[in-house]
Every structure is written in structure tokens, then in C-alpha cells.
């Protein structure tokens, strides 16, 4: 079965590597164009491009997915199946091209957490479990018929970065299972509309800067989940001495604080605690605007509060 793989970040590389290791015939890879990055605006290659080049895979980097030249190049690959992992929204002329369709790997248990940031929102909302899903693409984003899922139990302490790495590995294995199932005709399709009946759906929209500002008037566990769900990127933040203070990790202590929400206490040596509605957020890993990221003890040695 001839397969075209579409993806951009490191999350997708693990899946691409798993497919190749499993003996799948990857006849082409589609990824994002190189983009200027850093102070020098040097062109940066996607993680998927770097992998494809290192492994001698045919590479396509379209600026526009409806570009006639790209469509012609894609058709020429004569793929039986397309696989999408962490890529752009595809136009119908692309996802409807191969005879066996186009499958997508999504980092949630669909139909829950459709959207751009399912890993972040699952943690922000304090979920007890999440997982990965493979499904056939159709018109509306993340709504196609489900093929396979695999659940992951959350610890209640992991960051989005840590969950990302767990789901990256789980997803790669599930994708191989899905591709083999599609190739052998051994799969069932489960319409999401049926799974969504009578269920309150939670969404996973793109995260903006305003979503990252901590509201210490919220319950302390909710603040803690926000910090974990945005770590390491884009990172939850508050203001300290008129500067942005990014918080990458923390613990929390429920109970009366004796001070107003948003206020802080410190011994200037080992702890810095911000008061939430019903407890303290105890910061362990942070970065003050203009400084490097550091642990709390190093931070307190160098900053006067």
C-alpha cells in the first residue's frame, strides 16, 4: 500500500518513524515550508523535513495546498492512503484524493477535545483520562468516523509537555495498528455523531496569550491545572514587580491563606507562594521577564522581593 505522510512537528516524526519501522511504503512526505526563525531570521526546517531528508524520502513543501503544481505532484505519487499527523487543515481536493482515504491521528478521545490544543485543554480542565484517536478525514475538522482509540490515565501532576511525549508514543503505535487495519480491511468505522449523542462536548481551541494570564481568584487546583496545562509552552504567567513572571511548574497547598488572592509570601530562600481563592500556589520552576528560566531557590538568590 502506497502511503503519503503529512506532518510538521516532532510529534509527527515519531509516527512517521514507526510506520517506516513497521515496513510501510512511504512514497512521499508533505510538510510545512521552511520559516524564518530566531533573531537572525535564518530559515528553519520542520522536524518532519529533517527526518525525511535524513532518510531519503521524497519531500513536498507546498505554500498553498490548492496550488495546481502541488496537486499534480501529489497525484503523481499515486498514494493508496494518506496519513496526517499534526498538519494543516486539508482541502477536499487533497484529503479525498487517495482511494483508501486519508486518516488522521488526534491527541484526544474524540469526539471530546476537537481542535488545535487537545493536550493542553485536557490538563487545564483537570481530566482523569485522555488518549489518542485515529479517524477518516471529512469536511468538518476532527469530525470523521473513528477507527481506533487508546486511552491514557492522567496522573494529575504531569505537564502538557510530559503528556505530549506520552501521547506521541501511544499515537505512533495506534497509527501503525490503524494503517495495518485499513490495508487488511480489518476495521470498523464509528460515526462521531453517535458517540456524541447526549454527551457534553469539550473543545480544544487554539491558545492565545489572554488564556495564559493566571486569575488567582480561581480555586487553587484550577490555577495549578492551568500552570501544568500550559507548560512548557506557551506558559502561564502573572505579573511581579511590573514584569511578566512565567510559571512552568508548581505544587499547591489547599486551605486558608490569610492574604488576598494574587498576593504572595516568601522566606526569600526556598519558597514563593501566591494566594489563590482557597490555597497557595507554591512555585518551583519559573522565569522572570529578562531572565533565564530557573528553579525557585536560584531565583530567590538573585531577585529582591
Amino acid at each position: 500500500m502506497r502511503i503519503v505522510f503529512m506532518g510538521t512537528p516532532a510529534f509527527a516524526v515519531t509516527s512517521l518513524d514507526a510506520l517506516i519501522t513497521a515496513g510501510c511504503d512511504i512514497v512521499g512526505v508533505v510538510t510545512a515550508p521552511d520559516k524564518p526563525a530566531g533573531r537572525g531570521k535564518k530559515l528553519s526546517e520542520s522536524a518532519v523535513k529533517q527526518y525525511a531528508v535524513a532518510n531519503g524520502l521524497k519531500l513536498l513543501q507546498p505554500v498553498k495546498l490548492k496550488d495546481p503544481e502541488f496537486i499534480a505532484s501529489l497525484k503523481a505519487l499515486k498514494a493508496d492512503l494518506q496519513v496526517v499527523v499534526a498538519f494543516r487543515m486539508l482541502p477536499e481536493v487533497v484529503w479525498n484524493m487517495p482511494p483508501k482515504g486519508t486518516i488522521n491521528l488526534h491527541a484526544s478521545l474524540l469526539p471530546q477535545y476537537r481542535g488545535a490544543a487537545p493536550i493542553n485543554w485536557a490538563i487545564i480542565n483537570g481530566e482523569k483520562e485522555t488518549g489518542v484517536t485515529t479517524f477518516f478525514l471529512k469536511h468538518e475538522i476532527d469530525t470523521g468516523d473513528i477507527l481506533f482509540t487508546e486511552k491514557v490515565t492522567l496522573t494529575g501532576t504531569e505537564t502538557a509537555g510530559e503528556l505530549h511525549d506520552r501521547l506521541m508514543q501511544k499515537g505512533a503505535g495506534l497509527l501503525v495498528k490503524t494503517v495495518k487495519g485499513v490495508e487488511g480491511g480489518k476495521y470498523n468505522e464509528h460515526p462521531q455523531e453517535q458517540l456524541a449523542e447526549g454527551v457534553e462536548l469539550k473543545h480544544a481551541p487554539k491558545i492565545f496569550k489572554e488564556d495564559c494570564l493566571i486569575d488567582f481568584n480561581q480555586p487553587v487546583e484550577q490555577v495549578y491545572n492551568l500552570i501544568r496545562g500550559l507548560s512548557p509552552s506557551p506558559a502561564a504567567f502573572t505579573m511581579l514587580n511590573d514584569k511578566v513572571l512565567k510559571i512552568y511548574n508548581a505544587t499547591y497547598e489547599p486551605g486558608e491563606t490569610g492574604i488576598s488572592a494574587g498576593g504572595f509570601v516568601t522566606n526569600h530562600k526556598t519558597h514563593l507562594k501566591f494566594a489563590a481563592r482557597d490555597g497557595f500556589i507554591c512555585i518551583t520552576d519559573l522565569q522572570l521577564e529578562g531572565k533565564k528560566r530557573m528553579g525557585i531557590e536560584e531565583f530567590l538568590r538573585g531577585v529582591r522581593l
Side-chain angles (χ1 to χ4, degrees):
M1 189 166 64
R2 296 171 63 84
I3 299 170
V4 166
F5 184 91
M6 302 181 180
T8 299
F11 188 95
V13 171
T14 303
S15 289
L16 176 56
D17 184 64
L19 290 172
I20 289 173
T21 301
C24 297
D25 184 17
I26 307 298
V27 297
V29 172
V30 182
T31 192
D34 299 352
K35 293 182 179 179
R39 291 182 180 177
K41 296 298 180 184
K42 183 180 178 182
L43 286 179
S44 174
E45 299 176 342
S46 76
V48 165
K49 177 180 178 177
Q50 292 173 30
Y51 180 91
V53 170
N55 288 274
L57 300 172
K58 182 171 179 59
L59 187 69
L60 298 174
Q61 291 181 275
V63 174
K64 294 181 179 179
L65 295 176
K66 290 183 179 180
D67 179 81
E69 191 174 329
F70 166 65
I71 297 298
S73 298
L74 193 60
K75 279 183 179 176
L77 295 174
K78 297 180 179 176
D80 300 299
L81 177 74
Q82 290 174 161
V83 174
V84 180
V85 182
F87 195 57
R88 293 179 268 172
M89 188 173 176
L90 302 181
E92 184 175 0
V93 68
V94 173
W95 60 255
N96 205 23
M97 188 181 296
K100 289 187 180 292
T102 298
I103 57 175
N104 189 199
L105 171 67
H106 189 72
S108 81
L109 297 174
L110 290 172
Q112 296 291 0
Y113 293 106
R114 294 169 177 160
I119 295 173
N120 306 90
W121 286 108
I123 292 180
I124 291 169
N125 289 337
E127 298 292 353
K128 300 291 189 258
E129 71 174 13
T130 185
V132 284
T133 303
T134 51
F135 65 98
F136 278 119
L137 282 185
K138 68 175 191 179
H139 287 283
E140 295 80 12
I141 192 165
D142 298 338
T143 61
D145 291 351
I146 290 172
L147 294 165
F148 296 97
T149 61
E150 187 163 347
K151 294 180 179 180
V152 169
T153 300
L154 300 186
T155 65
T157 60
E158 70 268 86
T159 64
E162 291 163 348
L163 180 57
H164 168 281
D165 292 350
R166 288 176 67 195
L167 295 182
M168 182 170 67
Q169 298 297 332
K170 287 280 187 186
L174 188 70
L175 192 60
V176 171
K177 176 182 176 180
T178 303
V179 168
K180 296 294 186 182
V182 170
E183 185 172 26
K186 297 177 181 178
Y187 65 92
N188 294 309
E189 295 181 50
H190 306 280
Q192 289 194 45
E193 294 81 3
Q194 293 179 7
L195 297 172
E197 282 181 15
V199 176
E200 182 185 352
L201 294 184
K202 298 175 184 177
H203 301 283
K206 184 177 179 180
I207 291 171
F208 296 95
K209 186 175 181 180
E210 55 265 31
D211 299 313
C212 304
L213 177 62
I214 298 170
D215 178 4
F216 284 105
N217 290 298
Q218 299 294 326
V220 68
E221 188 173 2
Q222 195 169 319
V223 175
Y224 173 65
N225 290 341
L226 179 74
I227 291 168
R228 295 188 301 116
L230 296 175
S231 178
S233 179
F237 72 93
T238 188
M239 301 303 295
L240 183 68
N241 298 340
D242 297 322
K243 291 187 175 181
V244 172
L245 180 71
K246 291 183 176 181
I247 304 175
Y248 294 101
N249 224 328
T251 58
Y252 72 97
E253 298 173 353
E256 291 294 325
T257 66
I259 60 175
S260 59
F264 67 85
V265 295
T266 180
N267 64 358
H268 303 284
K269 291 181 180 180
T270 59
H271 71 250
L272 173 61
K273 303 179 181 181
F274 280 85
R277 183 199 296 176
D278 55 357
F280 279 114
I281 290 291
C282 311
I283 302 174
T284 58
D285 186 359
L286 72 172
Q287 182 178 17
L288 187 63
E289 186 179 342
K291 304 277 187 178
K292 68 175 183 177
R293 177 177 171 177
M294 61 187 83
I296 189 62
E297 292 187 16
E298 181 183 0
F299 173 79
L300 290 173
R301 283 197 298 269
V303 175
R304 185 172 294 179
L305 298 175

